[in-house]
């Protein structure tokens, strides 16, 4: 099943509620929230209070992508603020198994994220634990970057492993997903599509979300 997860990173933060509602009208079914600490990635964004405010304006699952050095210290606060899904970077976690179980202990779905330079093989021991794997198709830190096509083979590999090992994780893709890249992503196995700039960067977020989701569903139908 294909789902669109608009990233609020490219939204107008002064009108966040309105922008989230517009994306929802366009067919978004998850809201992607990018958390950056200025250490793991060279940028700063938001923390639990904004997640708490978002919780008041939407019933959609809040997908918190933690691009931070010490996720264990903040997972409880994001869960309390209303996060439904929490993902952590493989590269940031010294005790990844423990961190994923910590997320689950807060009744959130647990995701693991890999940067463009990190191979799928590093996830071998956690694929049976996670609810989703997030493949970064740009280097994390900023919206509006160019899609890196050499990440596509990782989505294909995750599909392959899932069927070989009879696992059930879902495959999320983040970075540079737009009308010109979405069909490649869906054909490679991307199921939860994060899009910031393509939804909020210009024009009407509702129309942008609708067009992107339609293109994704069309690519998925062609795949069958
Ligand atoms: C990048 C973030 C992304 C970003 C995607 O570090 O994790 O979620 O907002 O933005 P676009 O879709 O503009 O590449
Ligand atoms: Zn993200």
């Amino acid at each position: 099943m294909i789902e669109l997860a608009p990233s609020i990173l490219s939204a107008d933060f002064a009108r966040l509620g309105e922008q989230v509602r517009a994306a929802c009208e366009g067919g978004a079914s998850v809201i992607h929230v990018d958390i950056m600490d200025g250490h793991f990635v060279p940028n700063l964004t938001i923390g639990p209070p904004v997640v708490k405010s978002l919780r008041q304006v939407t019933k959609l699952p809040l997908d918190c992508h933690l691009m931070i050095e010490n996720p264990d210290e903040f997972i409880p606060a994001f869960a309390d603020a209303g996060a439904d899904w929490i993902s952590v970077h493989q590269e940031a976690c010294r005790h990844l198994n423990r961190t994923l179980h910590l997320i689950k202990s807060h009744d959130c779905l647990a995701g693991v994220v890999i940067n463009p330079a990190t191979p799928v093989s590093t996830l071998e021991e956690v694929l049976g634990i996670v609810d989703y794997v997030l493949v970064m198709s740009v280097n994390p830190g900023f919206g509006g970057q160019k899609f890196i096509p050499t990440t596509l083979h990782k989505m294909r590999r995750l599909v392959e492993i899932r069927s070989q090992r009879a696992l059930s994780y879902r495959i999320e893709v983040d970075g540079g997903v737009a009308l010109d890249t979405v069909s490649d992503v869906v054909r490679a196995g991307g199921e939860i599509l994060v899009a910031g700039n393509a939804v909020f960067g210009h024009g009407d977020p509702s129309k942008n979300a609708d067009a992107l989701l339609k293109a994704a569903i069309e690519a998925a139908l062609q795949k069958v």
Side-chain angles (χ1 to χ4, degrees), residues 90-167:
Q90 185 274 350
E91 304 86 0
C93 295
R94 187 167 288 166
H95 304 289
L96 183 56
N97 178 296
R98 174 187 287 149
T99 303
L100 293 168
H101 282 296
L102 177 65
I103 297 172
K104 284 166 172 267
S105 75
H106 285 276
D107 290 326
C108 294
L109 296 190
V112 66
V113 193
I114 46 173
N115 280 335
T118 305
V120 168
S121 57
T122 59
L123 301 182
E124 195 177 329
E125 301 300 329
V126 296
L127 288 178
I129 306 173
V130 294
D131 296 294
Y132 59 105
V133 178
L134 171 47
V135 177
M136 287 308 300
S137 41
V138 299
N139 288 295
F142 304 95
Q145 302 182 80
K146 201 171 166 325
F147 181 81
I148 301 173
T150 50
T151 58
L152 286 166
H153 79 96
K154 296 201 270 185
M155 303 163 207
R156 289 191 284 266
R157 181 73 189 123
L158 283 163
V159 172
E160 203 173 67
I161 298 173
R162 182 172 58 190
S163 102
Q164 282 166 353
R165 293 177 52 186
L167 296 174

Side-chain angles (χ1 to χ4, degrees), residues 7-10 32-34 36 41 65 67 89 134 136 138-146 174-178 194-199:
S7 160
I8 59 158
L9 187 61
S10 297
H32 186 83
V33 186
D34 287 305
M36 304 186 186
V41 289
H65 173 192
M67 286 161 274
H89 273 257
L134 171 47
M136 287 308 300
V138 299
N139 288 295
F142 304 95
Q145 302 182 80
K146 201 171 166 325
D174 184 3
V177 176
V194 177
N197 201 48
V199 172

